[in-house]
Each structure stands twice: as C-alpha cells, then as structure tokens.
Amino acid sequence: MTRIALVGIGKIALDQHVPAISASPDWELAATVSRQGRVDGVEGFTRIEDMLEARPDIGVVSLCLPPVPRFDVAQAALRAGRHVMLEKPPGATLAEVHALRDLARAQGVTLFATWHSREAHAVAAARRWLGDRRIESGRITWREDVRKWHPGQEWIFAAGGMGVFDPGINALSILTHILPEPVHLTGAELDFPANRDAPIAARLEMTQGITADFDFRQEGPQTWDMEFRTDRGHLALRMGGNLLEIDGQPAGGADTIMGEYPALYAQMARLLGENASDVDLSPMVLVADAFTLGRRVTVEPFAF
Amino acid sequence: MTRIALVGIGKIALDQHVPAISASPDWELAATVSRQGRVDGVEGFTRIEDMLEARPDIGVVSLCLPPVPRFDVAQAALRAGRHVMLEKPPGATLAEVHALRDLARAQGVTLFATWHSREAHAVAAARRWLGDRRIESGRITWREDVRKWHPGQEWIFAAGGMGVFDPGINALSILTHILPEPVHLTGAELDFPANRDAPIAARLEMTQGITADFDFRQEGPQTWDMEFRTDRGHLALRMGGNLLEIDGQPAGGADTIMGEYPALYAQMARLLGENASDVDLSPMVLVADAFTLGRRVTVEPFAF
C-alpha cells in the first residue's frame, strides 16, 4: 500500500476521495491537511509545509482544494519531491498548470490532472463508438442545482471559481475525450449574476456543429446529457456519462464496475508504476476560451 | 524572391506589412485577399479560396485579419499546403491555434505565430541582461489611445476582439520572452464599458511581484513601459521595447537596425529555410487566464 495525504477536507474529499482511498488495495490514507476538516483516525495537519516536513514517508499528495489556493500547495508538494494528483480543474489559470507540469518533469515525479467524469461508466464505450464516425452535430445539456451540489460554497462564484464551468468542465472533459477530432469555440454567451464574479449559466457554440447549455439554476430533475448525430447513427450519453444510448436504444457500455474516483486512484497507481504524468488541459482551454471569447450578460443577483 | 499573399488589407497591413515586404530582398507581394482593400499593382482577390485556386505559385500566406475571422482563412491556406504567418494574436481562442498547429504539422508546412513587439530594438538586450538575474518585482504600464491606433475598429470591442488586450498582449509577448522564469496570473480586474463586450482597461497581478496596468483611454503622451527590480540592479524597457535603461542610465541595446515587421518577415524566411514552425502561445495563455480569473468592473460606455 502506498501512503497518500489528502489536502482540502471539504465536501468532495469526504463524499468521494476518502471512500475511494479506503476501498482501494493500493492506498493508505496516511495524513490530511486542512484548515478545519479532519478524517477520524488519520493524522491531521493544518499546513502543507508541516505535513511535508513531518511525514517524509508519504510520497503522494492528492489535492481537493478549490482552484485558486491550489497552486501554492501543489508547488510545495512537487518541490518536496512528492507525486501530486489534482482534483479538477487543475488550477485557476492555464499558466500555473503549465508551471506545475514543468516542475513535475524537472523533479522526475508524477503529476496527474484528473477529470473524474471521464471515468463514468459509459464514456469509454462512447469514445469507441464515435472513433470511426464523422460528427454532424452535437448538443450538451448540463443543468444542475448549485445549491444542492455546492451548498454555501461562495468560492465557486468568486473570480477564478469558474461558476457554472465547475460542472460544465466535466462535460467538456468527456467531450474532449470522446471526439475523434478536436473542437474549438466559435461563440459563447456567459450569464453573470449582478452580484457575482463568475457565471451562473453559459451557452457555447463549437465547431462540428456542437453546442453546450450549462446552467447552475436547475431545480427538480438534474440533466447531464450529451447527444451526437453522426454520419452513421445517433449517440446519447446520459447521467453524466453513465448511460449510453445508440439510435435511441439503451446500449449499456459500462466498461468498469468501479466508480469515478476509485478509477482515478487506480490510474494514479498505474502512473506511479510507469513513472509517467497525465496532464491534459484541453477541457480547461475550452473554458478559458469561453471566458475570452464570450459575450457577457448580466442576470439577476444570486444568493445561496 | 518568395511569392507571398497578404490577407486582410486594413490599417496594419498598409502601415507595416506592405512596406516590410516591399523593402525585403526575400519577398515578392504577389497577391492580396481582402473584401475591400487593395494594393496598387498587385493582383487582388476577395475570397481566399479563389486566390488559393488561381495562384498555386504562391507558397506563403500572411494573415492580418482580426482574430475572429482568422481561423477559417488560416485553415484553408494550410489545407492547401501553403505556409502561414499569423499577425498577433494568432486567433480568437487557444484551441483554434492548437488545431492550426496540429494541421501545419500534419501538412509539413511552416506556421509562424508572430509577436511583433518581441522584435523591438532593445528586447534582445533586455532578455540577455535579465537572463542570470532574479526578478524581485516588475511593473508594466501600457496605456494608449484606442481612437488613435484603432480608429473606428468596432471589432476590437466585440466579443473575441480582446479590447485592451490587443495592445496589452504586446507587453505580455515581451514579458514572456525576456523573463528567465515563466510567470502566471494571481489576480486581475477588467473594466468593461457598459456598451461593449471587451475590456477597455485591465490590471493584472502576476507571480514574481509583477503587475500590469493596461488602459485604452490614454490621451496625450502614450506609455509602453516595463520596469524590473532584480537582485542585481534595475532594468527599464521604454517605448514598447525600443529603449533600454539599466539603473536609470540609457543602455542602448539596439541589436538590429530593422524595424519590427521587417524582422518578422526575415524570421519567416529563416523558418521556411529550416522547414520549422514557431508557435509560442504563452502571451495568449496569460490573456485567456486574465479573462478566466479576472473580476469584471462595468465602466462608462465607450464611443469612438
């Protein structure tokens, strides 16, 4: 078992990372670093420097902090020669992730920028099916209730918090993984609440006739769907990449019985074994491009 | 002499590209493509497809279109096996430039994403001087009058036109070229006129203690300066990279008697000779990061 430290003990750490690590034969959760959060029975630190100093036996650090504070912690861990795994998005800016990638290379350690949605059950099957087809059009609908999934998380609407692109980048991480040819943006509209610095909704237009509709104000049923019309049939991925339909019929497609986060930790174990890194920034490039190219619309103020 | 076609005959083409090509022993301006612009004595087309079809003898295409329409033209030229030179910024989005880079590689042709300010007289000397020093802080002040330099160019304030980052990216192209270590953004504020979709001013905070102040509303004297405090002395680059001062004293630094655009065309000739490409997107990454991370401030409406 490889000892790992988890940094940022908030909702996503407790909901996903801790159970995934606990259930894995590869990993032992050996320490946490968090201002307030703790995990029972695990040594807790409040500062990354203290953990790096006190626990030279912990070779791997997994970060589930919000994007803005993430860089300094990742840099400290890499400089201390530790392997690093990053929750999505891998940073608040592209340039800082480029810097982390270069640092990991210089240190000879593994950096894994994770995209958990790529591990959803039907994604690999969708990628295979699309692999030799030509996309004629596509439609992504990613609508969820920010109050349900990010209760009171003010950082998500602060500058750099990415707003609705926090879930939207999950869709884009699937999209960039399954398409046989890369896409780019041709237009975007971003809805900013009058009292917030990050968008609450966005509509994207991309090449290959693909559109995306991201909305953080969806009450009732949640929607995480994408559909593609190709030269040979129609594919739909529903439930965030977990259900596959071909030409309107269920087509299963589960390649794994693991959940998304267990699959990420298994992948991290493989990367360590191969002394390799995996830093694909294409979903984040599309988000940065949407902010750069997008027309801004001011909408009504938002309160949690 | 290598035959070249110039696409987008507007202000920058007539002010800079045409004189640079005319004065060069390497190049012959063999055609133009533009909806309205023409160059006396040069065959003019209005559609890129027509030029590519009619003039197989023209192997190189230089693009001075605004960023949004640039991709389709660049793609058409690369697909037709032509070498391509792009005015800055190389596109409206990062992902589209990634696609052009991949296409150029697949076609075995040269792609040159130019940054004319890197060719200003004192930039190379500044880079050498900073090369073995440690930056303690830096300040970029880039303030110009949009009405003077972009008279009536509405596209610059449209979504994707980049607003004040159109000149600001010149500063960032110098910055990313002369610093011994890469920077990234840690904060940004962008001022959007109430009636426009691109910022008219921006204030950036970067690592290494570097700040930038970009403003498009500067009347009277124009300012394109950057100053750096290092562990061993103080450097200032003034007049858009053309004047060098070390510790407050003029230090010349002109490495070339060529202007910026003649130097770019000389560099394109070298790249063709080496069958190489030059696509450095680091200035554009900083701009995309500023849009992504930046806090938006609404300011008074702007009219040309």
Side-chain angles (χ1 to χ4, degrees):
Chain A
M1 300 235 286
T2 304
R3 294 193 189 95
I4 190 167
L6 202 52
V7 185
I9 307 300
K11 180 168 166 52
I12 190 72
L14 297 172
D15 286 356
Q16 299 289 349
H17 290 258
V18 172
I21 293 168
S22 302
S24 166
D26 297 324
W27 299 101
E28 175 196 343
L29 181 57
T32 62
V33 182
S34 189
R35 274 180 308 180
Q36 297 172 328
R38 294 290 305 265
V39 173
D40 280 348
V42 177
E43 186 178 13
F45 296 84
T46 53
R47 297 175 59 242
I48 182 71
E49 292 77 10
D50 297 339
M51 188 280 288
L52 294 170
E53 171 92 21
R55 298 294 304 266
D57 60 309
I58 300 178
V60 184
V61 180
S62 178
L63 272 58
C64 350
L65 297 161
V68 169
R70 199 171 299 161
F71 175 80
D72 289 340
V73 176
Q75 185 183 50
L78 291 170
R79 281 185 175 162
R82 309 312 216 279
H83 307 283
V84 169
M85 187 169 160
L86 300 170
E87 183 48 277
K88 48 68 53 172
T93 63
L94 288 163
E96 73 190 59
V97 189
H98 294 166
L100 294 178
R101 187 184 55 192
D102 294 347
L103 178 57
R105 194 176 296 144
Q107 293 281 72
V109 298
T110 291
L111 179 64
F112 180 21
T114 69
W115 301 105
H116 64 81
S117 291
R118 287 183 175 174
E119 308 299 335
H121 287 315
V123 169
R127 177 183 160 103
R128 279 196 303 273
W129 193 86
L130 289 173
D132 58 355
R133 286 176 167 82
R134 195 173 53 75
I135 307 288
E136 292 176 348
S137 66
R139 189 174 56 179
I140 300 173
T141 309
W142 222 256
R143 293 173 155 259
E144 64 177 56
D145 184 349
V146 64
R147 292 187 180 90
K148 175 179 169 78
W149 301 99
H150 299 278
Q153 293 181 11
E154 298 285 347
W155 63 265
I156 212 162
F157 285 119
M162 291 201 178
V164 75
F165 287 102
D166 183 84
I169 205 169
N170 295 338
L172 298 174
S173 74
I174 295 175
L175 182 74
T176 49
H177 188 63
I178 65 178
L179 286 185
E181 298 284 337
V183 278
H184 65 261
L185 255 79
T186 55
E189 266 189 357
L190 280 62
D191 293 345
F192 283 75
N195 62 339
R196 301 283 178 171
D197 288 316
I200 198 163
R203 294 163 295 283
L204 312 183
E205 294 176 15
M206 289 172 268
T207 49
Q208 305 181 46
I210 297 170
T211 61
D213 173 1
F214 297 157
D215 205 313
F216 238 163
R217 298 165 300 194
Q218 175 87 359
E219 299 180 4
Q222 311 280 290
T223 307
W224 300 285
D225 284 358
M226 47 182 76
E227 302 184 50
F228 300 93
R229 187 175 306 281
T230 79
D231 57 339
R232 287 179 291 130
H234 181 272
L235 177 145
L237 258 177
R238 304 199 189 281
M239 295 299 294
N242 281 295
L243 293 180
L244 183 65
E245 287 175 13
I246 302 295
D247 297 327
Q249 301 300 314
D255 278 278
T256 166
I257 54 164
M258 280 197 287
E260 297 178 9
Y261 283 81
L264 293 179
Y265 280 94
Q267 172 67 356
M268 183 67 180
R270 272 194 299 278
L271 289 169
L272 288 178
E274 298 163 4
N275 195 24
S277 284
D278 180 350
V279 184
D280 172 14
L281 298 183
S282 57
M284 198 169 162
V285 165
L286 292 178
V287 172
D289 285 342
F291 276 97
T292 307
L293 184 64
R295 212 167 65 77
R296 282 156 186 75
V297 181
T298 301
V299 299
E300 65 182 25
F302 174 82
F304 276 103
Chain B
M1 300 235 286
T2 305
R3 294 194 188 95
I4 190 167
L6 201 54
V7 185
I9 306 299
K11 181 168 165 52
I12 190 73
L14 297 172
D15 287 356
Q16 300 289 348
H17 290 258
V18 172
I21 293 168
S22 301
S24 166
D26 298 323
W27 299 102
E28 176 196 343
L29 181 57
T32 62
V33 182
S34 189
R35 274 180 307 180
Q36 297 172 327
R38 293 289 305 268
V39 174
D40 280 349
V42 177
E43 186 178 13
F45 296 84
T46 53
R47 296 176 58 243
I48 182 72
E49 292 78 9
D50 297 339
M51 188 279 288
L52 294 169
E53 170 93 20
R55 298 295 303 266
D57 60 308
I58 300 178
V60 184
V61 180
S62 178
L63 271 60
C64 352
L65 298 160
V68 168
R70 199 171 298 160
F71 176 80
D72 288 341
V73 176
Q75 185 183 49
L78 291 170
R79 281 186 175 161
R82 309 313 215 278
H83 307 284
V84 169
M85 188 170 159
L86 300 170
E87 183 48 275
K88 48 68 52 172
T93 63
L94 289 163
E96 74 189 59
V97 189
H98 294 166
L100 293 178
R101 187 183 55 192
D102 294 347
L103 178 57
R105 195 176 294 143
Q107 293 281 70
V109 298
T110 290
L111 179 65
F112 180 20
T114 69
W115 301 105
H116 64 80
S117 291
R118 288 182 175 174
E119 307 298 335
H121 287 314
V123 170
R127 177 182 160 103
R128 279 196 302 273
W129 192 87
L130 289 173
D132 58 355
R133 286 176 166 82
R134 195 173 52 75
I135 307 287
E136 293 176 347
S137 66
R139 189 175 57 180
I140 300 172
T141 310
W142 221 256
R143 293 174 154 257
E144 64 178 57
D145 184 350
V146 66
R147 292 187 180 91
K148 175 180 168 79
W149 301 100
H150 299 278
Q153 293 182 12
E154 300 284 346
W155 63 265
I156 212 162
F157 285 118
M162 291 203 178
V164 76
F165 287 102
D166 183 85
I169 204 170
N170 295 337
L172 298 174
S173 76
I174 295 175
L175 182 74
T176 50
H177 187 62
I178 65 177
L179 286 185
E181 298 285 337
V183 279
H184 66 259
L185 256 78
T186 55
E189 265 189 357
L190 281 61
D191 293 345
F192 283 73
N195 62 338
R196 301 284 177 170
D197 288 316
I200 198 163
R203 293 163 297 283
L204 312 183
E205 292 175 16
M206 290 172 267
T207 49
Q208 304 180 47
I210 298 170
T211 61
D213 172 2
F214 298 156
D215 205 311
F216 238 163
R217 297 164 300 193
Q218 175 86 0
E219 300 180 2
Q222 310 280 290
T223 307
W224 300 284
D225 284 358
M226 47 182 76
E227 300 184 50
F228 300 93
R229 188 174 306 279
T230 78
D231 57 339
R232 288 179 291 130
H234 181 272
L235 177 145
L237 258 178
R238 305 198 189 282
M239 294 299 295
N242 281 294
L243 292 180
L244 183 65
E245 287 175 14
I246 302 295
D247 297 327
Q249 300 301 313
D255 278 280
T256 166
I257 55 164
M258 281 196 286
E260 298 177 10
Y261 284 81
L264 293 179
Y265 280 94
Q267 173 67 356
M268 183 67 181
R270 271 193 300 278
L271 289 169
L272 288 178
E274 297 164 4
N275 196 24
S277 284
D278 179 350
V279 184
D280 173 14
L281 298 184
S282 58
M284 198 168 161
V285 165
L286 292 179
V287 172
D289 286 342
F291 276 96
T292 308
L293 185 64
R295 213 168 63 78
R296 283 157 187 75
V297 181
T298 302
V299 299
E300 64 182 27
F302 175 81
F304 275 103

